[in-house]
mmCIF file of all heavy atoms in Angstrom:
data_model
loop_
_atom_site.group_PDB
_atom_site.id
_atom_site.type_symbol
_atom_site.label_atom_id
_atom_site.label_comp_id
_atom_site.label_asym_id
_atom_site.label_seq_id
_atom_site.Cartn_x
_atom_site.Cartn_y
_atom_site.Cartn_z
ATOM 1 N N SER A 13 119.539 20.883 138.619
ATOM 2 C CA SER A 13 120.455 22.007 138.758
ATOM 3 C C SER A 13 120.077 23.215 137.913
ATOM 4 O O SER A 13 120.316 24.355 138.327
ATOM 5 C CB SER A 13 121.884 21.574 138.433
ATOM 6 O OG SER A 13 121.988 21.128 137.090
ATOM 7 N N ARG A 14 119.492 22.990 136.754
ATOM 8 C CA ARG A 14 119.139 24.097 135.869
ATOM 9 C C ARG A 14 117.653 24.438 135.895
ATOM 10 O O ARG A 14 117.184 25.245 135.090
ATOM 11 C CB ARG A 14 119.589 23.791 134.439
ATOM 12 C CG ARG A 14 121.101 23.846 134.262
ATOM 13 C CD ARG A 14 121.519 23.560 132.841
ATOM 14 N NE ARG A 14 121.452 22.143 132.524
ATOM 15 C CZ ARG A 14 121.808 21.613 131.364
ATOM 16 N NH1 ARG A 14 122.259 22.399 130.380
ATOM 17 N NH2 ARG A 14 121.710 20.308 131.163
ATOM 18 N N ASN A 15 116.935 23.866 136.824
ATOM 19 C CA ASN A 15 115.497 24.093 136.929
ATOM 20 C C ASN A 15 115.139 24.953 138.126
ATOM 21 O O ASN A 15 115.690 24.770 139.218
ATOM 22 C CB ASN A 15 114.754 22.764 137.048
ATOM 23 C CG ASN A 15 114.700 22.000 135.755
ATOM 24 O OD1 ASN A 15 114.291 22.540 134.728
ATOM 25 N ND2 ASN A 15 115.101 20.745 135.792
ATOM 26 N N ALA A 16 114.225 25.868 137.920
ATOM 27 C CA ALA A 16 113.579 26.505 139.057
ATOM 28 C C ALA A 16 112.650 25.477 139.692
ATOM 29 O O ALA A 16 111.929 24.769 138.988
ATOM 30 C CB ALA A 16 112.797 27.733 138.621
ATOM 31 N N MET A 17 112.691 25.386 141.006
ATOM 32 C CA MET A 17 111.898 24.398 141.717
ATOM 33 C C MET A 17 110.927 25.071 142.671
ATOM 34 O O MET A 17 111.113 26.225 143.071
ATOM 35 C CB MET A 17 112.822 23.451 142.496
ATOM 36 C CG MET A 17 113.762 22.644 141.626
ATOM 37 S SD MET A 17 112.868 21.518 140.510
ATOM 38 C CE MET A 17 112.020 20.459 141.690
ATOM 39 N N ALA A 18 109.909 24.334 143.044
ATOM 40 C CA ALA A 18 108.889 24.906 143.912
ATOM 41 C C ALA A 18 108.270 23.849 144.801
ATOM 42 O O ALA A 18 108.259 22.660 144.473
ATOM 43 C CB ALA A 18 107.800 25.589 143.084
ATOM 44 N N TRP A 19 107.757 24.313 145.925
ATOM 45 C CA TRP A 19 106.912 23.518 146.800
ATOM 46 C C TRP A 19 105.474 23.990 146.650
ATOM 47 O O TRP A 19 105.209 25.198 146.600
ATOM 48 C CB TRP A 19 107.346 23.637 148.262
ATOM 49 C CG TRP A 19 108.575 22.854 148.592
ATOM 50 C CD1 TRP A 19 109.860 23.299 148.609
ATOM 51 C CD2 TRP A 19 108.620 21.474 148.971
ATOM 52 N NE1 TRP A 19 110.710 22.290 148.977
ATOM 53 C CE2 TRP A 19 109.979 21.158 149.194
ATOM 54 C CE3 TRP A 19 107.657 20.481 149.136
ATOM 55 C CZ2 TRP A 19 110.393 19.879 149.590
ATOM 56 C CZ3 TRP A 19 108.063 19.212 149.519
ATOM 57 C CH2 TRP A 19 109.416 18.924 149.741
ATOM 58 N N TYR A 20 104.570 23.044 146.593
ATOM 59 C CA TYR A 20 103.149 23.292 146.533
ATOM 60 C C TYR A 20 102.478 22.563 147.684
ATOM 61 O O TYR A 20 103.045 21.641 148.258
ATOM 62 C CB TYR A 20 102.550 22.797 145.214
ATOM 63 C CG TYR A 20 103.221 23.336 143.967
ATOM 64 C CD1 TYR A 20 104.400 22.774 143.490
ATOM 65 C CD2 TYR A 20 102.662 24.397 143.256
ATOM 66 C CE1 TYR A 20 105.012 23.260 142.340
ATOM 67 C CE2 TYR A 20 103.261 24.878 142.111
ATOM 68 C CZ TYR A 20 104.433 24.306 141.655
ATOM 69 O OH TYR A 20 105.033 24.788 140.513
ATOM 70 N N ARG A 21 101.263 22.959 147.995
ATOM 71 C CA ARG A 21 100.511 22.235 149.005
ATOM 72 C C ARG A 21 99.038 22.214 148.649
ATOM 73 O O ARG A 21 98.541 23.094 147.943
ATOM 74 C CB ARG A 21 100.708 22.830 150.402
ATOM 75 C CG ARG A 21 100.102 24.221 150.601
ATOM 76 C CD ARG A 21 100.472 24.765 151.967
ATOM 77 N NE ARG A 21 99.899 26.075 152.213
ATOM 78 C CZ ARG A 21 100.182 26.830 153.268
ATOM 79 N NH1 ARG A 21 101.036 26.384 154.190
ATOM 80 N NH2 ARG A 21 99.607 28.013 153.420
ATOM 81 N N GLN A 22 98.370 21.201 149.139
ATOM 82 C CA GLN A 22 96.941 21.065 148.916
ATOM 83 C C GLN A 22 96.274 20.622 150.204
ATOM 84 O O GLN A 22 96.558 19.543 150.726
ATOM 85 C CB GLN A 22 96.645 20.068 147.796
ATOM 86 C CG GLN A 22 95.185 20.006 147.406
ATOM 87 C CD GLN A 22 94.961 19.263 146.102
ATOM 88 O OE1 GLN A 22 95.750 18.401 145.721
ATOM 89 N NE2 GLN A 22 93.894 19.600 145.410
ATOM 90 N N ALA A 23 95.408 21.467 150.719
ATOM 91 C CA ALA A 23 94.648 21.170 151.917
ATOM 92 C C ALA A 23 93.299 20.586 151.520
ATOM 93 O O ALA A 23 92.819 20.808 150.401
ATOM 94 C CB ALA A 23 94.456 22.430 152.749
ATOM 95 N N PRO A 24 92.655 19.845 152.422
ATOM 96 C CA PRO A 24 91.341 19.279 152.114
ATOM 97 C C PRO A 24 90.350 20.349 151.684
ATOM 98 O O PRO A 24 90.215 21.387 152.337
ATOM 99 C CB PRO A 24 90.918 18.635 153.435
ATOM 100 C CG PRO A 24 92.205 18.307 154.115
ATOM 101 C CD PRO A 24 93.126 19.439 153.758
ATOM 102 N N GLY A 25 89.680 20.119 150.567
ATOM 103 C CA GLY A 25 88.694 21.057 150.071
ATOM 104 C C GLY A 25 89.260 22.262 149.360
ATOM 105 O O GLY A 25 88.494 23.152 148.974
ATOM 106 N N LYS A 26 90.561 22.312 149.184
ATOM 107 C CA LYS A 26 91.189 23.444 148.521
ATOM 108 C C LYS A 26 91.994 22.991 147.308
ATOM 109 O O LYS A 26 92.372 21.830 147.196
ATOM 110 C CB LYS A 26 92.108 24.198 149.483
ATOM 111 C CG LYS A 26 91.404 24.941 150.596
ATOM 112 C CD LYS A 26 92.387 25.791 151.378
ATOM 113 C CE LYS A 26 91.701 26.647 152.410
ATOM 114 N NZ LYS A 26 92.671 27.512 153.131
ATOM 115 N N GLN A 27 92.248 23.932 146.412
ATOM 116 C CA GLN A 27 93.094 23.664 145.266
ATOM 117 C C GLN A 27 94.563 23.699 145.669
ATOM 118 O O GLN A 27 94.931 24.310 146.674
ATOM 119 C CB GLN A 27 92.846 24.691 144.160
ATOM 120 C CG GLN A 27 91.486 24.590 143.498
ATOM 121 C CD GLN A 27 91.357 25.507 142.309
ATOM 122 O OE1 GLN A 27 91.766 26.666 142.365
ATOM 123 N NE2 GLN A 27 90.796 24.994 141.229
ATOM 124 N N ARG A 28 95.386 23.045 144.879
ATOM 125 C CA ARG A 28 96.819 23.073 145.113
ATOM 126 C C ARG A 28 97.333 24.498 144.917
ATOM 127 O O ARG A 28 96.964 25.179 143.959
ATOM 128 C CB ARG A 28 97.520 22.105 144.163
ATOM 129 C CG ARG A 28 99.009 21.987 144.388
ATOM 130 C CD ARG A 28 99.559 20.676 143.829
ATOM 131 N NE ARG A 28 98.978 20.341 142.540
ATOM 132 C CZ ARG A 28 98.654 19.120 142.153
ATOM 133 N NH1 ARG A 28 98.851 18.092 142.972
ATOM 134 N NH2 ARG A 28 98.135 18.906 140.959
ATOM 135 N N GLU A 29 98.174 24.957 145.822
ATOM 136 C CA GLU A 29 98.699 26.302 145.758
ATOM 137 C C GLU A 29 100.216 26.311 145.842
ATOM 138 O O GLU A 29 100.832 25.434 146.443
ATOM 139 C CB GLU A 29 98.124 27.171 146.886
ATOM 140 C CG GLU A 29 98.525 26.725 148.284
ATOM 141 C CD GLU A 29 98.071 27.677 149.373
ATOM 142 O OE1 GLU A 29 97.822 28.863 149.072
ATOM 143 O OE2 GLU A 29 97.959 27.234 150.536
ATOM 144 N N LEU A 30 100.810 27.321 145.238
ATOM 145 C CA LEU A 30 102.252 27.504 145.290
ATOM 146 C C LEU A 30 102.646 28.060 146.644
ATOM 147 O O LEU A 30 102.082 29.056 147.105
ATOM 148 C CB LEU A 30 102.697 28.450 144.175
ATOM 149 C CG LEU A 30 104.184 28.783 144.109
ATOM 150 C CD1 LEU A 30 104.993 27.544 143.731
ATOM 151 C CD2 LEU A 30 104.427 29.897 143.093
ATOM 152 N N VAL A 31 103.614 27.430 147.269
ATOM 153 C CA VAL A 31 104.083 27.840 148.583
ATOM 154 C C VAL A 31 105.374 28.640 148.488
ATOM 155 O O VAL A 31 105.509 29.708 149.088
ATOM 156 C CB VAL A 31 104.293 26.620 149.501
ATOM 157 C CG1 VAL A 31 104.899 27.040 150.844
ATOM 158 C CG2 VAL A 31 102.972 25.890 149.711
ATOM 159 N N ALA A 32 106.341 28.111 147.749
ATOM 160 C CA ALA A 32 107.649 28.748 147.638
ATOM 161 C C ALA A 32 108.344 28.252 146.390
ATOM 162 O O ALA A 32 108.098 27.137 145.932
ATOM 163 C CB ALA A 32 108.508 28.456 148.870
ATOM 164 N N SER A 33 109.214 29.070 145.839
ATOM 165 C CA SER A 33 109.980 28.682 144.663
ATOM 166 C C SER A 33 111.413 29.166 144.793
ATOM 167 O O SER A 33 111.702 30.111 145.533
ATOM 168 C CB SER A 33 109.348 29.224 143.381
ATOM 169 O OG SER A 33 109.362 30.638 143.364
ATOM 170 N N ILE A 34 112.298 28.505 144.058
ATOM 171 C CA ILE A 34 113.697 28.892 144.044
ATOM 172 C C ILE A 34 114.249 28.639 142.648
ATOM 173 O O ILE A 34 114.054 27.571 142.072
ATOM 174 C CB ILE A 34 114.511 28.126 145.121
ATOM 175 C CG1 ILE A 34 115.968 28.587 145.123
ATOM 176 C CG2 ILE A 34 114.399 26.613 144.925
ATOM 177 C CD1 ILE A 34 116.742 28.097 146.341
ATOM 178 N N THR A 35 114.918 29.637 142.083
ATOM 179 C CA THR A 35 115.470 29.515 140.748
ATOM 180 C C THR A 35 116.846 28.874 140.797
ATOM 181 O O THR A 35 117.428 28.664 141.857
ATOM 182 C CB THR A 35 115.578 30.881 140.065
ATOM 183 O OG1 THR A 35 116.580 31.668 140.737
ATOM 184 C CG2 THR A 35 114.248 31.617 140.093
ATOM 185 N N ALA A 36 117.380 28.572 139.603
ATOM 186 C CA ALA A 36 118.732 28.035 139.526
ATOM 187 C C ALA A 36 119.751 29.016 140.080
ATOM 188 O O ALA A 36 120.799 28.610 140.586
ATOM 189 C CB ALA A 36 119.070 27.675 138.079
ATOM 190 N N GLY A 37 119.449 30.305 139.987
ATOM 191 C CA GLY A 37 120.310 31.339 140.532
ATOM 192 C C GLY A 37 120.029 31.662 141.982
ATOM 193 O O GLY A 37 120.552 32.655 142.496
ATOM 194 N N LEU A 38 119.195 30.864 142.643
ATOM 195 C CA LEU A 38 118.891 30.954 144.074
ATOM 196 C C LEU A 38 117.986 32.130 144.431
ATOM 197 O O LEU A 38 117.903 32.519 145.597
ATOM 198 C CB LEU A 38 120.173 31.000 144.909
ATOM 199 C CG LEU A 38 121.146 29.831 144.714
ATOM 200 C CD1 LEU A 38 122.334 29.965 145.652
ATOM 201 C CD2 LEU A 38 120.431 28.503 144.925
ATOM 202 N N ARG A 39 117.301 32.671 143.459
ATOM 203 C CA ARG A 39 116.273 33.661 143.755
ATOM 204 C C ARG A 39 115.055 32.941 144.313
ATOM 205 O O ARG A 39 114.630 31.917 143.779
ATOM 206 C CB ARG A 39 115.903 34.437 142.498
ATOM 207 C CG ARG A 39 114.808 35.473 142.684
ATOM 208 C CD ARG A 39 114.520 36.166 141.366
ATOM 209 N NE ARG A 39 115.680 36.934 140.907
ATOM 210 C CZ ARG A 39 115.826 37.402 139.682
ATOM 211 N NH1 ARG A 39 114.898 37.171 138.765
ATOM 212 N NH2 ARG A 39 116.905 38.094 139.356
ATOM 213 N N THR A 40 114.491 33.463 145.389
ATOM 214 C CA THR A 40 113.372 32.803 146.052
ATOM 215 C C THR A 40 112.130 33.674 146.051
ATOM 216 O O THR A 40 112.201 34.903 145.954
ATOM 217 C CB THR A 40 113.719 32.431 147.502
ATOM 218 O OG1 THR A 40 114.071 33.614 148.229
ATOM 219 C CG2 THR A 40 114.884 31.460 147.541
#
């Protein structure tokens, strides 16, 4: 509830990248 959260993804041959994030205050 008090953490900003995020989705990441990693494709074959690529580094993990940030896809989307959302703060506790619902900022995306």
Side-chain angles (χ1 to χ4, degrees):
S13 62
R14 289 181 283 182
N15 286 308
M17 298 297 298
W19 284 95
Y20 306 81
R21 68 185 181 187
Q22 187 167 26
K26 291 187 174 182
Q27 292 187 316
R28 184 158 41 218
E29 65 174 338
L30 178 67
V31 175
S33 64
I34 182 168
T35 68
L38 303 183
R39 178 181 295 165
T40 59

